[in-house]
């Protein structure tokens, strides 16, 4: 009886943790689960694991955040396009090259759309890709290590928003320009935008780590290209992109880019483009852009690339078509079968659904209503599968549960709407808090959704959480979609602005996780694989400290003979070969960040001492009961002093 009472009180406590969202929903009848049901659904007991890894874009943080579902617990921030002092990303000498661009070292960007690699249209857990919006780039994250391993800059692009959407066997990342610009870039009046500015659609080879390359770019009219999705199954070999501002306005776009009732979805037959490139179509154009990758030595390497192949519609017949789409379309989503192409017209009163098979028939019949810059415009009615009537206000994005239903985010009316493929009938709706942008079902943009949950990624959070000054935390909400009706289970705060997300069953990733970097495979040119190799070497005004870290000391731990103005490189090798035993390194006066060195790897901190004195260094990551004792000193003498270089390992 005591055990039963204890369990009952435990569940009541967990119910309180489910949050005020559930209380509000229950009281108002707005799709919430009961207290105990919600608590049970999201509670992960100590020692057990979440069902899914969820990867959320960090938006203006430039990073990727990793959460567990259904708990909503934050596990990790993966640094990508921005410096990250927690582990020295972009500060250590090994990772600085990863943030090099044709503009120089760029320590920040805006990351929007994570995308998992796929095999046969199914997310496979090898890699996660994500875009940089401001300085156009795409990155590959290795999901064995949860570390960014490759970044490719994209030339002839501005506002890399429709990116990096993956083809069904990870052949290509598709990346397009939100902002059309002069191509090639040149000085010209902005008032001459119309007819002179252009967009590009880039197809980036992605299926071989360390060798991401732009296979070709397609030059397209000067619209704003917004989001994309690649075909699958029936529509394999195609990619689809929304575009707005077909008016080609250059000022007050909120008015001037909303004049037409319909804009376009661009349908790109990339298999046809491959054929044309193989036959020598298009032209090589000079362009400077960077390819950065971590080599076998686990150090960043940056190479400057100098040309890209550009295709124009006139170079390759039947490569690209425009599908008229109501109005100012934003999201673009393809259902698991590859037959239905759903666009979210921000200002439309319906959700238009295009049919891939009807599109092919219209192309065969040349059922066109016009042409733009050599691109045929298909007749709207000829490619339309159906319209979802009265879905709500501000449809944006759609994901699929694999059971014949679609879920669309409605930004203005702040809700998720569930509708049926084929009948186009709305069957359920639940409110989101508030102003939902993207939404995500695990695998919901692939051929195999795991349709148990949908996550709402909301833009506004006021009154959902404790206030934190003028800037409030971002908001996500977890809904159960396993039954006929959606049920709100959990509110959880998120970092940065999570534009989009991906999720995959945890078991797929758990079984492949790297635990250490084998020390014998460490090929870093400044690795120190044992304390007997620890040393300090002067090369003119450059001093290299070959240092080891192991529980619970550094070798060397006392260094003398450093002079003001020297450039000192601490090459720190973590000798541990045990899981979850990183070591940190920081030295007083360093003008960058700490190092966080994983077992078996080498990381380098650059330090230029400005004043004479004795400066401590220490381990910044708790490693053992004697962590506090893991420290040392560097003596810095005046410039020109004759203090001999010496070091001690305490032996």
């Amino acid at each position: 009886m005591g055990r039963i009472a204890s369990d009952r009180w435990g569940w009541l406590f967990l119910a309180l943790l489910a949050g005020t969202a559930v209380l509000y929903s229950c009281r108002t009848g707005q799709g919430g689960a009961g207290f105990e049901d919600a608590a049970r659904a999201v509670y992960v007991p100590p020692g057990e694991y979440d069902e899914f890894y969820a990867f959320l874009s960090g938006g203006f943080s430039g990073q990727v955040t990793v959460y567990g579902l259904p708990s909503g617990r934050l596990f990790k921030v993966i640094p990508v396009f921005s410096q990250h002092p927690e582990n020295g990303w972009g500060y250590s000498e090994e990772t600085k090259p990863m943030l090099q661009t044709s503009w120089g070292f760029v320590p920040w960007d805006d990351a929007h759309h994570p995308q998992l690699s796929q095999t046969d249209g199914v997310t496979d857990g090898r890699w996660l890709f994500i875009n940089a919006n401001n300085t156009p780039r795409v990155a590959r994250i290795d999901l064995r290590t949860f570390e960014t391993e490759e970044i490719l800059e994209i030339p002839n692009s501005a506002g890399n928003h429709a990116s990096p959407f993956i083809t069904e066997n990870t052949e290509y990342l598709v990346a397009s320009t939100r902002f059309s610009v002069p191509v090639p870039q040149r000085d010209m009046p902005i008032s001459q935008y119309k007819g002179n500015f252009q967009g590009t659609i880039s197809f980036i080879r992605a299926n071989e780590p360390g060798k991401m390359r732009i296979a070709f770019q397609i030059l397209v009219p000067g619209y704003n290209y917004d989001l994309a999705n690649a075909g699958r199954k029936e529509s394999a070999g195609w990619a689809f992109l929304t575009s707005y501002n077909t008016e080609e306005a250059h000022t007050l776009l909120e008015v001037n880019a909303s004049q037409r009732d319909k804009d376009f979805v661009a349908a790109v037959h990339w298999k046809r483009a491959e054929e044309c490139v193989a036959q020598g179509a298009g032209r090589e154009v000079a362009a400077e852009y960077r390819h950065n990758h971590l080599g076998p030595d686990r150090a960043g390497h940056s190479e400057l690339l100098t040309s890209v192949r550009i295709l124009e519609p006139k170079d390759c017949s039947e490569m690209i078509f425009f599908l008229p789409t109501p109005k100012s379309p934003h999201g673009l989503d393809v259902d698991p079968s590859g037959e239905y192409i759903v666009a979210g017209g921000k200002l439309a009163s319906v959700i238009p659904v295009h049919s891939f098979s009807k599109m092919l028939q219209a192309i065969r019949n040349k059922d066109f209503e016009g042409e733009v810059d050599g691109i045929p415009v298909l007749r709207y009615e000829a490619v339309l599968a159906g319209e979802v009537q009265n879905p709500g206000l501000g449809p944006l994005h759609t994901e699929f549960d694999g059971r014949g239903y679609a879920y669309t985010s409605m930004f203005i009316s702040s809700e998720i709407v569930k509708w049926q493929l084929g009948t186009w009938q709305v069957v359920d709706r639940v409110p989101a808090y508030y102003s939902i942008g993207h939404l995500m079902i695990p695998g919901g943009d692939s051929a195999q959704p795991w349709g148990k949950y949908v996550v709402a990624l909301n833009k506004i959070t006021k009154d959902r959480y404790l206030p934190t000054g003028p800037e409030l935390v971002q908001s996500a909400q977890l809904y159960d979609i396993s039954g006929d009706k959606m049920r709100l289970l959990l509110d959880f705060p998120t970092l940065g602005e999570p534009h989009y997300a991906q999720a995959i069953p945890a078991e797929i990733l758990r079984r492949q996780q790297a635990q250490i970097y084998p020390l014998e495979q460490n090929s870093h040119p400044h690795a120190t694989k044992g304390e007997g190799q620890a040393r300090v070497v002067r090369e003119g005004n450059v001093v290299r400290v070959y240092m080891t870290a192991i529980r619970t000391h550094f070798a060397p731990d006392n260094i003398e003979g450093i002079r003001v103005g020297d450039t000192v490189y601490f090459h720190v090798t973590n000798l541990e070969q045990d899981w979850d035993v990183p070591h940190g390194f920081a030295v007083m006066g360093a003008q960058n960040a700490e190092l966080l060195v994983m077992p078996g790897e080498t990381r380098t901190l650059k330090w230029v001492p400005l004043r004479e004195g004795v400066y401590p260094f220490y381990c910044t990551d708790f490693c053992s009961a004697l962590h506090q004792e893991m420290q040392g000193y560097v003596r810095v003498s005046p410039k020109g002093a004759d203090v001999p270089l010496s070091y001690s390992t305490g032996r």
Side-chain angles (χ1 to χ4, degrees):
M1 190 70 183
R3 173 63 183 273
I4 294 173
S6 174
D7 286 351
R8 183 177 297 125
W9 282 112
W11 283 116
L12 286 173
F13 174 73
L14 294 173
L16 294 175
L17 297 180
T20 57
V22 175
L23 177 61
Y24 182 83
S25 302
C26 291
R27 287 178 175 174
T28 57
Q30 293 178 322
F35 267 176
E36 289 197 19
D37 286 345
R40 290 176 190 271
V42 302
Y43 179 60
V44 179
E48 296 188 14
Y49 298 110
D50 278 281
E51 297 173 68
F52 294 93
Y53 283 98
F55 300 92
L56 279 61
S57 72
F60 43 71
S61 78
Q63 320 293 34
V64 170
T65 51
V66 186
Y67 293 82
L69 296 181
S71 72
R73 297 179 295 191
L74 174 66
F75 294 149
K76 187 176 180 68
V77 175
I78 303 174
V80 188
F81 298 114
S82 300
Q83 290 177 296
H84 192 55
E86 180 183 343
N87 66 356
W89 177 263
Y91 294 99
S92 72
E93 297 306 297
E94 288 77 15
T95 58
K96 284 179 183 177
M98 299 297 288
L99 299 181
Q100 288 294 332
T101 75
S102 62
W103 305 95
F105 181 79
V106 176
W108 171 87
D109 219 305
D110 183 20
H112 279 215
H113 301 122
Q115 185 76 58
L116 287 162
S117 57
Q118 295 185 3
T119 301
D120 295 330
V122 179
T123 51
D124 56 28
R126 290 176 295 164
W127 308 308
L128 181 77
F129 301 93
I130 192 165
N131 63 324
N133 202 23
N134 187 56
T135 303
R137 287 169 286 174
V138 292
R140 179 201 309 269
I141 297 166
D142 188 334
L143 291 181
R144 296 172 305 139
T145 60
F146 282 55
E147 184 173 34
T148 302
E149 292 207 333
E150 193 169 8
I151 296 177
L152 179 70
E153 188 180 2
I154 305 174
N156 303 315
S157 179
N160 177 39
H161 190 257
S163 171
F165 297 96
I166 197 81
T167 58
E168 68 172 355
N169 283 295
T170 317
E171 300 98 336
Y172 294 106
L173 303 178
V174 184
S176 303
T177 52
R178 175 181 169 189
F179 310 120
S180 290
V181 293
V183 180
Q185 275 284 17
R186 58 195 181 276
D187 178 21
M188 64 177 294
I190 298 172
S191 61
Q192 295 179 15
Y193 179 112
K194 191 168 186 176
N196 292 302
F197 286 33
Q198 292 175 296
T200 58
I201 303 172
S202 300
F203 283 78
I204 299 165
R205 280 282 178 193
N207 56 359
E208 191 171 356
K211 296 183 179 180
M212 289 172 68
R213 285 292 186 273
I214 298 171
F216 53 89
Q217 293 183 313
I218 300 174
L219 205 59
V220 286
Y223 308 152
N224 293 60
Y225 297 85
D226 205 0
L227 280 167
N229 213 257
R232 57 185 65 93
K233 293 184 178 178
E234 297 298 324
S235 52
W238 289 76
F240 307 93
L241 304 94
T242 52
S243 65
Y244 64 99
N245 191 24
T246 54
E247 297 85 351
E248 294 186 78
H250 63 273
T251 184
L252 293 175
L253 262 63
E254 72 270 28
V255 175
N256 294 324
S258 303
Q259 300 299 305
R260 296 183 176 180
D261 287 334
K262 290 186 176 67
D263 291 289
F264 295 133
V265 165
V268 180
H269 192 188
W270 59 261
K271 282 285 189 182
R272 172 62 180 150
E274 281 187 328
E275 293 173 357
C276 291
V277 169
Q279 294 165 6
R283 65 190 192 276
E284 286 292 320
V285 175
E288 288 194 354
Y289 55 106
R290 288 273 174 185
H291 173 241
N292 309 326
H293 65 99
L294 290 182
D297 56 1
R298 296 200 38 74
H301 302 269
S302 182
E303 58 180 325
L304 182 67
L305 305 176
T306 57
S307 69
V308 65
R309 177 164 290 270
I310 287 185
L311 284 172
E312 297 187 46
K314 65 181 177 60
D315 299 327
C316 187
S317 62
E318 299 190 338
M319 174 181 66
I320 181 169
F321 301 87
F322 281 151
L323 285 58
T325 302
K327 172 174 183 180
S328 297
H330 179 57
L332 191 289
D333 302 283
V334 179
D335 87 302
S337 75
E339 167 64 12
Y340 297 123
I341 304 152
V342 182
K346 293 179 290 186
L347 304 179
S349 59
V350 298
I351 300 172
V353 184
H354 299 301
S355 162
F356 178 71
S357 57
K358 285 187 173 183
M359 185 194 82
L360 292 183
Q361 186 63 44
I363 292 170
R364 285 192 291 267
N365 295 341
K366 298 189 182 303
D367 197 350
F368 305 145
E369 64 178 41
E371 184 179 283
V372 179
D373 292 357
I375 301 172
V377 179
L378 298 168
R379 189 169 56 88
Y380 179 65
E381 291 76 13
V383 298
L384 187 68
E387 294 176 335
V388 181
Q389 300 290 327
N390 303 313
L393 300 177
L396 292 185
H397 303 280
T398 300
E399 299 254 313
F400 306 91
D401 64 8
R403 298 188 297 273
Y405 294 98
Y407 300 72
T408 300
S409 56
M410 313 300 290
F411 176 78
I412 296 174
S413 51
S414 291
E415 58 185 331
I416 299 174
V417 173
K418 177 182 178 181
W419 50 275
Q420 189 170 30
L421 291 165
T423 70
W424 324 122
Q425 298 298 308
V426 173
V427 297
D428 192 23
R429 61 179 74 231
V430 292
Y433 306 99
Y434 305 95
S435 298
I436 178 176
H438 279 272
L439 76 173
M440 181 274 291
I441 293 171
D445 65 342
S446 75
Q448 181 183 298
W450 290 276
K452 185 173 183 179
Y453 303 114
V454 64
V455 177
L457 302 169
N458 303 320
K459 299 297 185 185
I460 298 173
T461 60
K462 55 187 172 185
D463 83 16
R464 300 305 294 172
Y465 306 111
L466 288 173
T468 53
E471 183 189 11
L472 300 179
V473 71
Q474 303 293 318
S475 169
Q477 292 180 299
L478 181 74
Y479 296 80
D480 180 354
I481 60 171
S482 60
D484 292 337
K485 297 294 184 181
M486 294 177 276
R487 300 187 308 145
L488 175 61
L489 299 177
L490 181 70
D491 278 2
F492 62 97
T494 58
L495 301 181
E497 183 184 355
H499 292 266
Y500 187 42
Q502 297 269 272
I504 190 169
E507 189 56 36
I508 293 175
L509 298 192
R510 279 186 58 211
R511 59 178 179 244
Q512 68 181 26
Q513 291 303 291
Q515 298 184 356
I516 63 169
Y517 297 105
L519 191 61
E520 67 274 10
Q521 296 176 18
N522 185 331
S523 60
H524 193 290
H526 300 295
T528 307
K529 297 186 179 182
E531 288 187 11
Q533 300 174 15
R535 62 199 185 279
V536 182
V537 177
R538 177 177 287 281
E539 303 165 352
N541 290 329
V542 172
V543 177
R544 297 190 182 276
V545 180
Y546 294 85
M547 179 177 284
T548 62
I550 197 167
R551 288 167 288 188
T552 45
H553 62 273
F554 293 107
D557 62 359
N558 282 196
I559 303 168
E560 300 190 27
I562 306 299
R563 299 190 284 259
V564 170
D566 282 344
T567 298
V568 182
Y569 292 98
F570 290 94
H571 304 294
V572 183
T573 300
N574 183 347
L575 298 181
E576 308 284 357
Q577 292 288 268
D578 193 7
W579 195 15
D580 196 28
V581 192
H583 288 295
F585 177 84
V587 60
M588 186 177 178
Q591 295 180 334
N592 42 24
E594 63 145 7
L595 298 176
L596 193 61
V597 191
M598 296 301 112
E601 79 171 349
T602 301
R603 283 285 180 260
T604 302
L605 185 142
K606 179 182 176 181
W607 182 59
V608 180
L610 301 179
R611 297 191 293 267
E612 58 193 76
V614 178
Y615 298 99
F617 56 83
Y618 68 104
C619 177
T620 57
D621 189 273
F622 183 86
C623 55
S624 70
L626 297 178
H627 165 71
Q628 290 291 93
E629 284 74 13
M630 193 167 176
Q631 66 170 60
Y633 290 101
V634 182
R635 175 186 173 188
V636 178
S637 301
K639 191 171 185 176
D642 58 2
V643 176
L645 190 66
S646 63
Y647 56 92
S648 168
T649 63
R651 299 286 184 241

